[in-house]
Amino acid sequence: MANVQFQKITKSFGALTVLDELNLEIEKGEFIVLLGPSGCGKSTLLNILAGLIEQSSGRITIGDQDVTDLDPADRNLAMVFQSYALYPTKSVRGNLKFGLMSKGLSNDEIDRRISSVANLLQIDKLLDRKPAQLSGGQRQRVAIGRALVKEVDVCLFDEPLSNLDAKLRTEMRMEIKNLHNRLRNTVVYVTHDQVEAMTMATRIAVMNRGVIEQIGTPDEIYGNPQSLFVAEFVGSPSMNFIDVSVAQQGSELVGVGDQLSQAIDLRRAGLEQAPSGLSRLRVGIRPEHVRVGQNEGDRERSIRVDLPIRYHEKIGAEALAFFDFGGKRLSARVPPERVTMLAKEQTVPVDLPLEHMKFFNPETGRRV
Ligand SMILES: Nc1ncnc2c1ncn2[C@@H]1O[C@H](COP(=O)(O)OP(=O)(O)OP(=O)(O)O)[C@@H](O)[C@H]1O
Ligand SMILES: [Mg+2]
């Protein structure tokens, strides 16, 4: 049975529907990331699970208990906020202790928990300091520690790393992941940072306008996006898109595009059956699958286009080339040692391999 279950959760603020009959099942021990753009309803959903916001309709169960009408304190979960929300006048020890006061634990048990969590998070030398005497990363660790001392089954995180600088964020990301590997508690983690989602999640739920567009492992979300929204939101730079019309060429169904010198053989591209009545398709291809500046394009397996290069970026070991594709931008990942040379050319042969093309219905936005 799922450890956490959302059933048809709807939340409206006046006329604004923020969550729309959302369903989600989370297994015990999973690290679920709720990923989506600002305003899509991530924090609202997390706060509803915590009991801090009341849903307009729908039910929530944790384990085999229906918690829909329970107070936050009775839901047996812990939450880490973006703002840390530490008490400035209390020491680290005092902050860790505070959440345990109401639980009727013995002093020995409180001390045991604090010292165990402080060791785990390597803040044992900081227990007598005040939050103002800590670095950002240390404060973040205390905030996580305050959730862990409660020893609950379900931990909620709302963008806990967004106040940290890039390097610290990377470190804390690994720490949180390692912690989860050791503790195997259930984690629901909210972020709009796809790198956090891709690196930490056992499954990612991609949210858009109050619904879950797709839920799957990071590989499934990246490699097999089920909608244009997911394809575009996950991946940097974003997937490239080309619009084509569907036509019959002899016995084959093909995709024909203004900018394409050659039609896309849809069956060869893995689309066994074009959906009936669909006259247009949006073709998606990731930047790392676009092949640039090779002498011989394999005409059977890829579509060749000659494109003007607009600019390039070299970011250490990575390089990107951006082309003008009929007024739209097409990006390609290229070997860094070649990008400067390529950039001197005006027009470069670019191959789009059929095997890596994904097809979407431009009207519904769904994968076909
Ligand atoms: N108390 C409220 N009254 C009215 N609208 C609200 C209220 N709280 C949230 N909203 C609206 O609900 C929508 C979802 O908000 P929410 O905080 O869940 O977004 P989010 O996905 O967490 O975004 P972010 O990434 O920016 O934190 C937003 O459009 C927001 O303006
Ligand atoms: Mg939020």
Side-chain angles (χ1 to χ4, degrees):
M1 191 187 168
N3 197 19
V4 177
Q5 195 165 14
F6 295 93
Q7 293 165 12
K8 290 194 167 184
I9 295 292
T10 294
K11 177 65 187 176
S12 306
F13 293 106
L16 177 73
T17 300
V18 173
L19 296 172
D20 195 4
E21 298 210 341
L22 184 146
N23 295 304
L24 175 62
E25 286 189 9
I26 301 171
E27 300 297 328
K28 199 168 175 59
E30 272 202 283
F31 195 121
I32 286 278
V33 172
L34 303 176
L35 175 71
S38 186
C40 72
K42 306 179 294 294
S43 296
T44 305
L45 187 63
L46 202 68
N47 282 304
I48 287 174
L49 175 57
L52 302 173
I53 294 180
E54 197 183 345
Q55 68 277 16
S56 310
S57 64
R59 305 210 69 82
I60 297 177
T61 55
I62 299 177
D64 48 16
Q65 190 181 25
D66 187 326
V67 300
T68 314
D69 302 315
L70 290 187
D71 284 339
D74 299 330
R75 294 191 182 199
N76 201 31
L77 34 78
M79 186 150 168
V80 181
F81 298 90
Q82 174 179 358
S83 60
Y84 317 153
L86 300 178
Y87 297 101
T89 55
K90 289 187 197 298
S91 65
V92 170
R93 188 190 305 278
N95 269 282
L96 294 178
K97 205 169 178 174
F98 189 77
L100 299 176
M101 299 303 253
S102 58
K103 297 206 181 290
L105 299 171
S106 69
N107 282 337
D108 282 354
E109 175 63 10
I110 290 175
D111 289 343
R112 182 196 69 76
R113 288 193 187 188
I114 288 178
S115 91
S116 141
V117 163
N119 278 324
L120 187 68
L121 294 168
Q122 296 171 359
I123 48 174
D124 40 336
K125 305 234 166 14
L126 309 173
L127 286 171
D128 297 321
R129 293 203 202 163
K130 299 272 168 62
Q133 299 166 313
L134 302 174
S135 72
Q138 290 166 337
R139 262 177 240 164
Q140 186 56 59
R141 261 175 246 163
V142 178
I144 294 169
R146 205 173 40 178
L148 294 183
V149 287
K150 293 188 179 166
E151 297 190 354
V152 293
D153 289 340
V154 185
C155 260
L156 315 183
F157 290 82
D158 194 352
E159 310 238 13
L161 306 184
S162 54
N163 289 340
L164 304 177
D165 66 45
K167 187 157 173 285
L168 199 50
R169 217 157 47 214
T170 311
E171 281 169 21
M172 290 303 298
R173 211 162 68 205
M174 285 190 296
E175 265 184 41
I176 294 177
K177 185 67 197 168
N178 285 338
L179 212 53
H180 177 253
N181 286 339
R182 287 172 65 176
L183 301 175
R184 288 283 156 206
N185 52 350
T186 306
V187 172
V188 190
Y189 187 106
V190 161
T191 184
H192 59 257
D193 181 325
Q194 47 172 299
V195 179
E196 278 177 29
M198 297 296 286
T199 52
M200 293 200 280
T202 52
R203 287 194 300 159
I204 300 174
V206 182
M207 287 182 67
N208 179 28
R209 296 164 185 248
V211 299
I212 292 177
E213 287 257 339
Q214 186 175 348
I215 178 155
T217 63
D219 282 347
E220 283 164 357
I221 296 288
Y222 187 80
N224 208 5
Q226 292 304 308
S227 72
L228 276 172
F229 178 83
V230 176
E232 199 164 14
F233 190 73
V234 180
S236 177
S238 183
M239 190 181 266
N240 298 295
F241 296 106
I242 301 162
D243 283 327
V244 298
S245 332
V246 180
Q248 192 79 35
Q249 208 172 69
S251 62
E252 300 298 343
L253 212 51
V254 294
V256 186
D258 292 344
Q259 313 297 324
L260 300 175
S261 53
Q262 186 188 344
I264 300 171
D265 183 333
L266 295 179
R267 199 172 45 80
R268 269 181 188 275
L271 201 63
E272 283 304 325
Q273 223 172 359
S276 56
L278 196 62
S279 60
R280 296 192 66 76
L281 285 172
R282 190 158 294 164
V283 184
I285 187 159
R286 294 244 180 243
E288 62 270 32
H289 294 138
V290 174
R291 283 203 292 268
V292 175
Q294 297 187 349
N295 294 333
E296 290 296 319
D298 181 347
R299 293 303 181 98
E300 295 274 280
R301 298 222 181 90
S302 61
I303 300 289
R304 164 147 302 190
V305 278
D306 290 314
L307 299 179
I309 191 161
R310 282 292 175 250
Y311 60 100
H312 67 280
E313 281 175 353
K314 220 163 148 178
I315 320 133
E318 261 196 89
L320 298 165
F322 297 91
F323 298 90
D324 180 0
F325 190 77
K328 280 171 67 181
R329 199 177 74 170
L330 185 131
S331 57
R333 233 175 257 287
V334 289
E337 64 279 6
R338 283 185 51 214
V339 73
T340 326
M341 199 174 71
L342 281 173
K344 293 200 177 99
E345 309 278 327
Q346 290 191 318
T347 300
V348 182
V350 171
D351 290 305
L352 311 171
L354 298 182
E355 63 171 323
H356 291 302
M357 291 180 177
K358 309 271 187 264
F359 297 93
F360 300 90
N361 179 335
E363 272 148 44
T364 61
R366 300 308 298 179
R367 181 88 171 269
V368 297

